[in-house]
Amino acid sequence: MIMSKKKLIIPSLANFLIFILLGFVAATEDEQKEFYIVYLGDQLNNVSAVQTHLDVLLSIKSSDFEARESIIYSYTKIFNAFAAKLSKAEARKLSRREEVLSVFPNRYHKLHTTKSWDFIGLPNTTKRNLKMERNMVVGLLDTGITPKSESFKDDGFGPPPKKWKGTCVHYANFSGCNNKLVGARYFKLDGKPDPGDILSPVDVDGHGTHTSSTLAGNLIPDANLFGLAGGAARGAVPNARVAMYKVCWMSSGCSDMDLLAGFEAAIHDGVDVLSISIGGVKANYVSDALAIGAFHAMKKGIITVASGGNDGPSPGSVANHAPWILTVAASGINREFRSKVELGNGKIVSGVGVNTFQPKQKSYPLVSGVDAGYSGNQDSARFCDEGSLDPSKVKGKLVLCELGVWGADSVVARAGGKGIILESEQYLDTAQIFMAPATMVNATVSDAVNDYIHSTKFPSAVIYRSQELTVPAPFVASFSSRGPNPGSERILKPDVTAPGIDILASYTPLRSLTGLKGDTQYSRFSLMSGTSMACPHVSGLAAYIKSFHPNWTAAAIKSAILTTGKNKIFPSIPS
Ligand SMILES: *[C@@H]1O[C@H](CO)[C@@H](O)[C@H](O)[C@H]1NC(C)=O
Ligand SMILES: *[C@@H]1O[C@H](CO)[C@@H](O)[C@H](O)[C@H]1NC(C)=O
Ligand SMILES: *[C@@H]1O[C@H](CO)[C@@H](O)[C@H](O)[C@H]1NC(C)=O
Ligand SMILES: *[C@@H]1O[C@H](CO)[C@@H](O)[C@H](O)[C@H]1NC(C)=O
Ligand SMILES: *[C@@H]1O[C@H](CO)[C@@H](O)[C@H](O)[C@H]1NC(C)=O
């Protein structure tokens, strides 16, 4: 998963890495207080759960005041748990108590058309049970939502179904809910500021707006990304209502405490389906917040659909693999975005990526990053790392770089370069969006370009705007996490695959397309890739099925999805 050459850091939550930060800064480890979750199992109905939590804490704290001070949050509505600030020693002591099922540190997770619906056989003209679909509320735990997006306008929607108990008020930078977006809340229990984000359900990242519009967004006829991927965008259940529980934050990610609070609120509010495109842990199920939340959701008849992770193709990399979760892998649809590169010698090569820029000149001087660094800096200049390129050597030129860390396009542009040819051995099945003219090529193509550069005195090239090509499909995405199931050997995981490569859906106006320095591209829609994008395709199907069979259990819906897949191959159409 990690690039062989260098550690790859991906800026967007939509992307490929799922980090698990254990959050210990290790001082005298037994005294240092950290956030822990103490899980006590099922909801209590005889005594005040909050009092129980204090009683449990009193067994390790010296006073009632200390116990009250350490408690961060009590989960009492659906299951019995609390979050508290504890030392390692206190956590160990608590975990030995009989009534305590597990104690685990609060971890932070990363998040792991619209043609794709037609591709998998759910056309706009599909038969619908409108009355029921309008009564469905789909819940997402994600980065928030864009309330003003056309995907969530409520024209033609009546009031929310009577069963709905969710709430939504005005928050900072959040215009509030309507009859389509019927719930929006946020959880940030660690109380730490999150640079770049806003304490509000508003989506600053784009991920949550994208997943929710894929799941249940209204039909928008004229969706596209600067003319690419044009067509109607829509969710699987465009008549269903949406509830967003923001538990993921720009800087800190998605913490276990917030995830559990989101689960509790969503289950209590009465969502019909839960869609969670967030990284998981390889842990015992009783120390895995997502597994715990999904378990209690299932007990209330709610199916949880989750992304399987972007740590492929290594074996055993699948996350969110508890048997009661519907775990989704990502695959490609029959569309690819490629750019042609014409070299000064007339040779034409091609690469992948979304490059929305039309060249302004017939050609540009071309240089290799290795040759354009400050002297002695060849090693980082090969990767066009921040600060490695000498502006006097790249000004006005295209630069050939190896993929080290995403964002070399921004580094080259800020050094005065005109674009970048990026060599990579991975992710060649996924179109990265670039903030400057750019494309990603394999080593064969890169070698040819490099040979050309060193074969002539004035090498030059031009990168053309990306075009849409038709390719054979489906195929499993290279990045999609693979089985076998690290938690329960005998249960196959992931359960099912769904489109997760270059998916067009709604996006936030609060962030440029790449989030990179200097990017001036903003769009109502964006293309994203990941099992994060595949997940709402399957939660959408779950909601669609539930609209016809409202009394089916989570297991019945899952079974229906797993046992009715057909293998339909889309051949390549020569273009
Ligand atoms: C409440 O229920 C729990 C578990 O069901 C039990 O352990 C506890 O003793 C009960 N408390 C009271 C006051 O009945
Ligand atoms: C989709 O279907 C709806 C109703 O069935 C129709 O009004 C609409 O025009 C269709 N849109 C597209 C883009 O096919
Ligand atoms: C959020 O709202 C505040 C206060 O209304 C405003 O100053 C700020 O610019 C807004 N931020 C964004 C990103 O819209
Ligand atoms: C490299 O990319 C080119 C252009 O897409 C393709 O024709 C070639 O087969 C690729 N080579 C390898 C080794 O994948
Ligand atoms: C679902 O169950 C409820 C009560 O259990 C019942 O009233 C209703 O008729 C059932 N609906 C269907 C479609 O079977």
Side-chain angles (χ1 to χ4, degrees), residues 198-512:
I198 301 171
L199 269 185
S200 146
V202 75
D203 181 15
V204 179
D205 179 82
H207 188 276
T209 302
H210 202 277
T211 53
S212 9
S213 59
T214 301
L215 206 178
N218 295 327
L219 185 135
I220 305 164
D222 61 338
N224 65 80
L225 174 62
F226 294 116
L228 288 171
R234 64 189 157 87
V237 280
N239 306 291
R241 327 289 176 127
V242 176
M244 170 58 66
Y245 302 86
K246 176 167 168 179
V247 298
C248 295
W249 301 86
M250 288 297 279
S251 311
S252 55
C254 333
S255 84
D256 285 333
M257 298 192 290
D258 296 337
L259 257 171
L260 282 175
F263 262 112
E264 184 185 55
I267 298 168
H268 171 261
D269 291 348
V271 301
D272 291 284
V273 168
L274 267 168
S275 187
I276 306 186
S277 294
I278 296 177
V281 284
K282 277 183 203 143
N284 195 320
Y285 298 136
V286 288
S287 325
D288 173 351
L290 219 141
I292 293 171
F295 184 78
H296 289 281
M298 183 190 60
K299 287 185 86 171
K300 299 271 178 192
I302 302 164
I303 186 169
T304 300
V305 182
S307 49
N310 306 324
D311 282 334
S314 36
S317 47
V318 64
N320 300 330
H321 49 68
W324 48 89
I325 295 174
L326 178 39
T327 314
V328 187
S331 46
I333 57 175
N334 57 339
R335 176 178 69 192
E336 190 180 51
F337 298 94
R338 298 196 75 90
S339 285
K340 282 187 184 145
V341 179
E342 188 173 347
L343 304 177
N345 62 4
K347 194 174 158 140
I348 292 176
V349 294
S350 100
V352 299
V354 173
N355 163 27
T356 65
F357 305 96
Q358 207 71 260
K360 295 204 180 79
Q361 287 167 218
K362 251 185 103 193
S363 79
Y364 298 85
L366 175 64
V367 67
S368 168
V370 191
D371 305 328
Y374 290 111
S375 55
N377 233 352
Q378 277 90 338
D379 261 0
S380 37
R382 282 153 71 109
F383 300 104
C384 302
D385 281 349
E386 191 75 54
S388 66
L389 297 176
D390 180 347
S392 72
K393 296 180 187 160
V394 300
K395 191 166 188 289
K397 296 181 185 167
L398 300 181
V399 185
L400 176 67
C401 312
E402 288 175 39
L403 177 61
V405 172
W406 294 115
D409 42 338
S410 167
V411 174
V412 167
R414 280 180 284 124
K418 289 295 179 193
I420 168 174
I421 301 171
L422 194 58
E423 176 200 332
S424 170
E425 282 157 30
Q426 285 182 284
Y427 314 123
L428 289 161
D429 54 3
T430 307
Q432 189 73 20
I433 299 179
F434 296 106
M435 58 77 71
T439 195
M440 195 157 86
V441 300
N442 62 23
T444 318
V445 171
S446 170
D447 287 349
V449 174
N450 197 44
D451 288 349
Y452 161 69
I453 288 175
H454 296 105
S455 73
T456 172
K457 203 154 178 214
F458 298 107
S460 68
V462 59
I463 306 172
Y464 293 106
R465 182 183 150 89
S466 298
Q467 289 180 324
E468 234 168 288
L469 300 184
T470 304
V471 294
F475 55 92
V476 173
S478 58
F479 60 76
S480 188
S481 287
R482 308 298 207 260
N485 184 345
S488 314
E489 270 174 31
R490 288 160 199 270
I491 295 175
L492 289 177
K493 288 282 172 177
D495 290 297
V496 67
T497 188
I501 294 184
D502 306 338
I503 302 301
L504 186 84
S506 288
Y507 191 66
T508 177
L510 297 179
R511 190 167 187 249
S512 69

Side-chain angles (χ1 to χ4, degrees), residues 44-47:
L44 293 177
N45 45 23
N46 54 354
V47 285

Side-chain angles (χ1 to χ4, degrees), residues 516-551:
L516 292 172
K517 247 188 247 171
D519 190 0
T520 54
Q521 306 174 100
Y522 287 82
S523 172
R524 296 178 313 163
F525 302 93
S526 187
L527 288 161
M528 288 190 179
S529 299
T531 52
S532 280
M533 283 63 239
C535 171
H537 280 88
V538 177
S539 37
L541 290 187
Y544 179 75
I545 292 170
K546 198 166 181 184
S547 73
F548 288 93
H549 305 287
N551 289 357

